[in-house]
Amino acid sequence: MANIASARKRARQAVKQNAHNSSLRSTLRTAMKTVRKAIGAGDKAVATQTLQASQSVIDRIADKRIIHKNAASRYKSRLAAAVKAMA
């Protein structure tokens, strides 16, 4: 446990920030999961619509540096390729 006041404060802030970042990561995973479900259902129109919505979520979270921008680009690319490959 931290003994100095500033270290105690940093520890409190770290707990709060970790909870916030975890919430954003969960939002990201949920957005990606909705696209995968739409792809699995086989409806290309719905999949395209959810892809657009999830791309904005992915970009927003990458801008906050919760995930790396290259990881965000990779996620968007893979989801877009899966939607495009639908019959």
Side-chain angles (χ1 to χ4, degrees):
M1 183 62 196
N3 291 324
I4 298 171
S6 61
R8 284 195 297 269
K9 181 177 179 180
R10 275 315 291 165
R12 284 194 311 270
Q13 289 174 331
V15 168
K16 190 173 182 180
Q17 192 63 44
N18 184 28
H20 183 253
N21 290 348
S22 296
S23 171
L24 291 174
R25 257 191 306 277
S26 175
T27 304
L28 168 76
R29 291 187 187 118
T30 303
M32 291 171 55
K33 194 184 299 182
T34 56
V35 177
R36 285 194 218 104
K37 278 187 180 179
I39 292 168
D43 191 354
K44 191 166 186 172
V46 173
T48 305
Q49 194 173 16
T50 57
L51 174 65
Q52 284 181 333
S54 71
Q55 281 177 335
S56 70
V57 170
I58 293 169
D59 283 334
R60 222 176 316 125
I61 290 172
D63 286 342
K64 295 175 183 174
R65 296 184 178 166
I66 304 301
I67 59 169
H68 195 272
K69 61 182 176 135
N70 291 358
S73 180
R74 185 175 63 242
Y75 294 153
K76 291 192 307 182
S77 175
R78 287 180 181 169
L79 289 173
V83 169
K84 188 176 180 181
M86 289 177 71

